[in-house]
Amino acid sequence: MAKQQKRLGELLVEWGAVAPKDVNRALEHAKKQNQRIGEALIDLKLVSDAAVCKALASQHNMEYVDLDKSSISPNVVSAIPDDLMRKYLILPLSKENGRLRIAVHDPLDLEMLDILRFRLHTEIRTVLAPRGRIKAIIDDMFQTSAQNTIDKTMDQSIDRLRKSLDATMDKSVDRSMDRSVDRSIDKSIDVDEIGSEAQNDPTQAPIIKLVQAMIAEAVRSRASDIHIEPMKDRVRVRYRIDGECVERDRIPIRMRAPLISRLKIMAGIDIAEKRLPQDGRIKLTVDRSNIDFRVSTLPAYHGESVVLRILRPDSVRIGIQNLGFEEDDYKAFQKTIKRPNGIFLVTGPTGSGKTTTLYGALNELNRPDRKIITAEDPVEYNFTGINQCQVRDQIGLTFSKILRAMLRQAPNIILVGEIRDMEVAEVAIQAALTGHLVFSTLHTNDAPGAITRLIDMGVKPFLVASSIQAVMAQRLVRVLCPKCKTTDKEPNPMWLKLCGITQDDLKDKTLYKPRGCEFCSGIGFRGRLGIFEMMNLNSEIRNLAFERAPTNKIRKAAIASGMKTLLADGRIKVLNGTTTAEEIVKVAQVEGIVTG
């Protein structure tokens, strides 16, 4: 049977630090004031803060520290953000074997420990020290630091303003007036600079700092989404990195409401509405980069789930050559996007990089002699020189209405975010037939499937056959980390077979596998590239479309005319050492396997 833990009062009585009657008195006081026994003993001045702390350390098998300034290693002073130190009254002491040693005063504050692990991303070892002593050292540290910062800020501001005045004032101005101006400057700095410092005090809103830290970490981790999902006993935070969801940390359930409210306020959406889905947008600067976040809330069983889609403007300006095209597909792509008219469709599931590919094409075609108009829902990235229209169904501004208005604007190139129904498809086809180059996306598994999908929507087969110039299907695959990928001497034969790689293909080729290092955060993959299936419509494929032929017949004709399938393009990237066979099989359509 486990040994029963002694109560705090019993320990102090054993040590002779307090009399039994005083413990009873403290218990009554604690009950009235809703305090713990230790707090009550200190409040009644029956025992010292240090004695209570030593008893707590003994009770919880923790190390007790007789704290002073020399206990703090200079190397770890900045290891904990200021707001956390001041809010929870904790101090970093040293780093031992990769673990941060922290002085705390409350061994039962589990919420504080959860937040520390989330914010610091390191192993923690806690020791106990008296609350009063921790507070005194923190107050001393921050008073000195704050005074130095204020003095430095004031000196710099005064110097800057005086230099500005010296450069603009006439030299003949009387020095008595100069002294008067100096006094005015001093007063204005006292109000503005110090006042703003007080307003920006990070201790005023720790939830703000938590949200900022979470967003900054996701951006630095190259995440495309942040998923905040309330569970029964916690709030789960996941980042989608290179297409894979990675669980980052767990936030205590009591922080759910303030966390979601803060995100709603930042996104400009109604914090009181919790029954309906809502959408918003956040603009932030992270590491000197301006980044947009598309925010979506969805009511769920345990509370609202929030997803932040991270939109980096630079990600769509990487250039067409960097998307992952092989030489033949790159030439075909360039030839297609430079046609004077017709429709070019990019197909694939959500998150397969369709928008990035089309924006890459528009970025290359964006010149002063061409007028480009887009209809998008929503407008994700802003481009200088391109007229971008936001679809707003609630006021009747639909894809079809924007498209009809576009044609009266005499554009050269049109981008339709997505062909969703027959009405949009027919207007896009009419635009292509009247001399416009039209780009759009469609949700189909492969390139040949786009032909039958449009006909199934109700578009006449002869219009499909005559207007579409090319269809390109694509997927994104993870790229092996260039710094740690290792030779795969015994590749799994199952994945090779499913990928269509034979022993003959492996002659003079080296396959690689992931390992994991600091550069790729231990995953073994860093970044993604596209695999493509480019189908140019020739006379045979147009005839099959006109005859309403099934997808498999169109596919056979396309392959016979030189189309490289997604699997074939992926196979090239495996043999080049760019990725693995398993990654290709996960995203390419392979018969006889279900990948998860």
Side-chain angles (χ1 to χ4, degrees):
M1 187 174 177
K3 187 179 178 181
Q4 190 174 2
Q5 188 183 58
K6 287 189 178 181
R7 295 180 180 179
L8 188 69
E10 292 174 356
L11 280 172
L12 291 168
V13 169
E14 270 186 27
W15 295 352
V18 69
K21 63 177 183 179
D22 290 332
V23 171
N24 293 330
R25 181 182 159 199
L27 284 169
E28 290 177 10
H29 181 79
K31 191 174 182 181
K32 288 178 185 176
Q33 300 297 323
N34 194 23
Q35 292 178 329
R36 294 179 186 173
I37 178 68
E39 293 170 335
L41 285 165
I42 295 168
D43 199 20
L44 294 171
K45 294 183 171 51
L46 296 171
V47 72
S48 68
D49 190 359
V52 170
C53 191
K54 285 178 183 176
L56 282 171
S58 174
Q59 190 181 32
H60 293 278
N61 294 319
M62 292 177 69
E63 179 188 349
Y64 171 80
V65 177
D66 193 8
L67 204 60
D68 56 42
K69 270 197 166 182
S70 62
S71 308
I72 304 169
S73 171
N75 299 328
V76 296
V77 171
S78 59
I80 300 178
D82 299 350
D83 59 317
L84 291 184
M85 276 199 272
R86 297 173 76 167
K87 178 181 178 182
Y88 294 109
L89 293 180
I90 56 177
L91 274 173
L93 301 181
S94 60
K95 199 154 191 178
E96 302 168 353
N97 301 322
R99 299 173 76 188
L100 187 62
R101 188 162 164 264
I102 299 174
V104 302
H105 65 88
D106 185 356
L108 299 175
D109 193 345
L110 301 180
E111 179 186 341
M112 177 264 293
L113 293 175
D114 282 340
I115 290 172
L116 282 179
R117 290 191 183 99
F118 178 82
R119 292 281 297 272
L120 304 183
H121 318 307
T122 188
E123 290 294 320
I124 293 169
R125 177 172 167 256
T126 54
V127 297
L128 277 182
R131 185 181 187 277
R133 190 65 193 139
I134 294 176
K135 187 175 186 305
I137 292 175
I138 288 177
D139 288 345
D140 186 49
M141 283 170 57
F142 281 100
Q143 185 177 3
T144 305
S145 173
Q147 191 58 49
N148 290 341
T149 302
I150 291 167
D151 291 344
K152 188 176 178 182
T153 303
M154 287 181 66
D155 290 342
Q156 288 174 345
S157 301
I158 292 169
D159 186 53
R160 186 170 60 250
L161 287 167
R162 280 177 177 159
K163 282 180 181 177
S164 176
L165 284 168
D166 288 342
T168 54
M169 284 174 63
D170 193 325
K171 291 182 181 179
S172 62
V173 175
D174 191 290
R175 293 310 297 173
S176 63
M177 180 181 176
D178 194 8
R179 286 193 295 274
S180 172
V181 172
D182 281 348
R183 285 194 295 274
S184 299
I185 293 169
D186 290 343
K187 286 181 182 178
S188 67
I189 289 169
D190 184 55
V191 173
D192 298 334
E193 296 286 340
I194 299 173
S196 63
E197 286 288 332
Q199 288 172 1
N200 294 328
D201 186 356
T203 61
Q204 297 302 314
I207 196 69
I208 294 174
K209 300 292 285 182
L210 174 63
V211 170
Q212 288 175 341
M214 182 172 64
I215 288 174
E217 185 195 34
V219 171
R220 289 165 190 154
S221 301
R222 302 175 297 103
S224 60
D225 305 272
I226 304 172
H227 298 262
I228 298 156
E229 303 159 319
M231 302 291 173
K232 182 180 179 181
D233 57 346
R234 61 191 168 93
V235 178
R236 183 169 69 174
V237 177
R238 295 192 291 173
Y239 301 155
R240 188 179 294 277
I241 301 171
D242 293 336
E244 301 281 332
C245 276
V246 178
E247 187 164 346
R248 183 64 199 90
D249 225 315
R250 303 175 178 188
I251 296 175
I253 193 67
R254 69 187 71 180
M255 297 182 69
R256 179 190 65 191
L259 175 64
I260 292 172
S261 295
R262 174 60 187 165
L263 290 168
K264 283 184 169 184
I265 289 167
M266 292 172 72
I269 56 183
D270 187 359
I271 63 170
E273 180 56 75
K274 299 178 182 178
R275 300 167 299 168
L276 297 173
Q278 296 187 82
D279 294 302
R281 203 154 186 144
I282 299 171
K283 289 191 176 184
L284 285 177
T285 301
V286 180
D287 295 338
R288 298 183 181 178
S289 296
N290 295 321
I291 297 175
D292 282 3
F293 299 83
R294 202 172 71 208
V295 182
S296 170
T297 68
L298 179 70
Y301 187 76
H302 293 295
E304 289 176 286
S305 171
V306 182
V307 175
L308 283 74
R309 181 80 183 271
I310 303 173
L311 306 172
R312 298 174 176 84
D314 293 340
S315 67
V316 292
R317 295 186 175 93
I318 60 174
I320 294 173
Q321 282 182 306
N322 297 319
L323 293 173
F325 284 110
E326 298 301 322
E327 189 62 30
D328 53 346
D329 282 340
Y330 176 69
K331 288 177 180 176
F333 184 82
Q334 285 283 355
K335 185 179 177 182
T336 300
I337 66 172
K338 289 175 181 175
R339 289 176 183 269
N341 66 298
I343 295 180
F344 176 50
L345 290 175
V346 180
T347 75
T350 302
S352 59
K354 302 187 297 295
T355 302
T356 301
T357 299
L358 288 180
Y359 275 153
L362 289 186
N363 200 38
E364 186 156 317
L365 298 171
N366 185 17
R367 294 178 184 172
D369 61 331
R370 294 190 180 110
K371 176 154 185 174
I372 304 174
I373 307 180
T374 73
E376 304 171 64
D377 183 19
V379 174
E380 292 191 350
Y381 302 98
N382 181 253
F383 282 84
T384 304
I386 296 178
N387 301 275
Q388 296 174 269
C389 303
Q390 168 79 51
V391 172
R392 298 184 187 278
D393 288 325
Q394 63 270 27
I395 61 170
L397 189 62
T398 60
F399 270 121
S400 58
K401 189 167 283 190
I402 292 174
L403 270 170
R404 289 191 174 92
M406 274 184 188
L407 299 179
R408 295 192 290 271
Q409 297 276 315
N412 301 104
I413 300 166
I414 294 171
L415 168 67
V416 184
E418 183 185 345
I419 294 179
R420 297 176 177 174
D421 52 42
M422 185 179 73
E423 187 178 12
V424 175
E426 285 188 334
V427 178
I429 287 169
Q430 289 301 325
L433 294 174
T434 52
H436 302 87
L437 180 61
V438 180
F439 294 125
S440 190
T441 68
L442 201 62
H443 286 283
T444 61
N445 289 327
D446 56 10
I451 304 293
T452 50
R453 175 64 59 85
L454 288 171
I455 293 170
D456 288 343
M457 278 184 185
V459 181
K460 293 180 174 59
F462 76 91
L463 289 176
V464 174
S466 57
S467 62
I468 293 178
Q469 297 294 340
V471 183
M472 186 177 77
Q474 73 174 71
R475 301 288 190 278
L476 292 176
V477 294
R478 293 190 295 172
V479 176
L480 286 165
C481 174
K483 295 197 175 182
C484 70
K485 67 179 182 180
T486 58
T487 304
D488 192 357
K489 295 179 180 177
E490 295 181 357
N492 189 319
M494 181 189 76
W495 295 119
L496 294 181
K497 183 180 178 181
L498 289 168
C499 199
I501 296 174
T502 64
Q503 289 301 317
D504 291 337
D505 295 328
L506 295 176
K507 287 178 182 177
D508 303 323
K509 297 287 183 182
T510 304
L511 299 185
Y512 292 89
K513 62 182 179 180
R515 187 179 66 182
C517 66
E518 188 177 345
F519 184 65
C520 61
S521 303
I523 298 171
F525 296 91
R526 185 178 173 92
R528 289 189 291 175
L529 280 179
I531 58 172
F532 304 95
E533 183 176 272
M534 174 73 80
M535 183 181 77
N536 286 293
L537 269 72
N538 55 24
S539 56
E540 184 184 359
I541 296 173
R542 292 185 197 279
N543 285 333
L544 288 171
F546 182 74
E547 293 168 1
R548 296 176 182 262
T551 303
N552 61 342
K553 278 193 175 181
I554 297 173
R555 186 174 185 78
K556 284 180 182 177
I559 292 171
S561 64
M563 182 187 81
K564 185 161 72 251
T565 64
L566 288 168
L567 194 61
D569 193 35
R571 189 159 55 239
I572 293 170
K573 289 175 172 60
V574 173
L575 296 174
N576 287 343
T578 304
T579 187
T580 65
E582 184 179 354
E583 286 297 308
I584 297 299
V585 173
K586 279 181 181 178
V587 299
Q589 204 170 7
V590 179
E591 294 183 6
I593 183 171
V594 178
T595 57

